[in-house]
Amino acid sequence: MPTKIEKDAVSGTLTTGHEWDGIKELNTPLPKWWLYVFFATIAFAAVWVVLYPALPIQGATGVTGWTARGAIEQEMAEHARKLEPRLAAIRAATPEQILADPEMRNFALAGGRVAFANNCAACHGAGGQGAQGGFPSLADDDWIWGGKLADIHQTIAHGIRNAEDEVARTTMMPRFLADGLLKPAQVNDVAEHVLALSGRAADAAAAQRGAAVFAENCASCHGDGGRGNRELGAPNLADQVWLYGGDKAAVVQSVSYARAGVMPAWGARLDPAVVNMLTVYVHSLGGGEPE
């Protein structure tokens, strides 16, 4: 059907000429105010593109040069300027001095909590509870390298078994089976003995045989009673706290192929003030030892 523009008898408005099932479409113009607002938004957009970054082009910042990144960098710089006096005091103090000063201690705990969440929680958990796979809990009193402030500071600043810090903690456990130091039967026996140290051996005869193997190969680091040596980073084997799992399979795996967890040297990555704050915060998680 050809279009036919005519005036609607009821409203007096011209039609568009379109008709569907006897219903004619009116050609009602937009209100003037709507058109003016629409044109104003177009003009506003054009001005914005000139003044501010609006085009998906690298370096297109507009004539003002303003960017959101630049603005936040200025805010962060201002925030850092305000915090610098306190950070300088934290930086110059020892963790012991920070802990003894209530004001510095509160500031360090607050800052350390944030720094821990940003840098440490991914491995050690949000509350320092640790995780399976060799990430120790920092909230108990079982420490491999020591839980005093100086011990914690050393571990945070220099890390463990990393290639970036010359004084990182670096003791290594032999791979007794992989390197041919022990035979599979001896590994089984010494695993039973290790389980017996915490009262969990399943095979008393094997555990008794393993005692001799342990004395010859393991006691020099872990001690005759398996209570560990913090100077060497040898964990206590006589308690119920296990870094890689305490069942027989996990113990056999450890004896056979050793464990060698790595921790970054945060002293090379973080401000000394942040390292001090982390030290105080980790010490406060529940397992920190008094001086």
Side-chain angles (χ1 to χ4, degrees), residues 1-285:
M1 177 184 294
T3 58
K4 181 181 179 182
I5 299 175
E6 58 186 8
K7 182 176 291 187
D8 179 60
V10 177
S11 62
T13 304
L14 292 176
T15 68
T16 62
H18 300 154
E19 181 178 342
W20 295 271
D21 295 333
I23 302 175
K24 298 178 180 179
E25 180 184 24
L26 299 181
N27 187 14
T28 305
L30 291 169
K32 295 294 185 183
W33 66 267
W34 196 99
L35 289 174
Y36 294 151
V37 170
F38 178 67
F39 293 142
T41 59
I42 295 175
F44 178 84
V47 173
W48 186 276
V49 169
V50 173
L51 295 178
Y52 296 101
L55 300 175
I57 302 174
Q58 185 71 22
T61 61
V63 297
T64 63
W66 181 94
T67 63
R69 182 182 294 275
I72 192 63
E73 286 177 351
Q74 291 180 1
E75 292 181 14
M76 292 178 66
E78 177 63 18
H79 182 67
R81 185 189 66 78
K82 293 179 180 179
L83 288 180
E84 181 54 31
R86 287 195 171 189
L87 291 176
I90 295 288
R91 195 178 295 119
T94 65
E96 292 81 5
Q97 291 171 332
I98 296 171
L99 201 61
D101 186 299
E103 184 176 353
M104 281 202 298
R105 177 180 179 275
N106 291 336
F107 183 84
L109 289 176
R113 183 179 297 106
V114 174
F116 189 91
N118 290 338
N119 301 282
C120 315
C123 292
H124 291 284
Q129 73 275 14
Q132 291 183 349
F135 306 106
S137 171
L138 307 177
D140 59 17
D141 59 356
D142 194 82
W143 295 90
I144 297 176
W145 299 93
K148 294 184 178 181
L149 286 167
D151 300 325
I152 296 172
H153 186 276
Q154 169 75 13
T155 301
I156 293 174
H158 301 288
I160 299 172
R161 301 183 192 92
N162 58 65
E164 58 190 288
D165 195 303
E166 294 181 355
V167 295
R169 303 186 186 278
T170 56
T171 52
M172 302 292 287
M173 176 177 170
R175 304 186 307 162
F176 286 102
L177 181 64
D179 293 335
L181 301 174
L182 295 177
K183 297 179 179 179
Q186 292 175 303
V187 171
N188 176 78
D189 292 346
V190 79
E192 287 289 350
H193 175 69
V194 169
L195 294 175
L197 291 174
S198 54
R200 297 180 301 117
D203 187 333
Q208 187 173 3
R209 294 192 302 268
V213 180
F214 186 91
E216 184 176 348
N217 297 275
C218 314
S220 58
C221 291
H222 292 282
D224 293 333
R227 298 192 178 280
N229 185 336
R230 290 180 174 180
E231 292 184 2
L232 301 177
N236 185 355
L237 306 177
D239 58 15
Q240 299 294 330
V241 180
W242 297 91
L243 187 56
Y244 292 94
D247 59 9
K248 185 175 178 179
V251 175
V252 168
Q253 178 75 9
S254 295
V255 175
S256 299
Y257 303 103
R259 308 288 189 175
V262 176
M263 174 178 168
W266 292 105
R269 307 180 183 203
L270 301 177
D271 187 294
V274 178
V275 174
N276 279 345
M277 290 191 290
L278 277 172
T279 299
V280 173
Y281 177 72
V282 170
H283 188 270
S284 74
L285 287 176

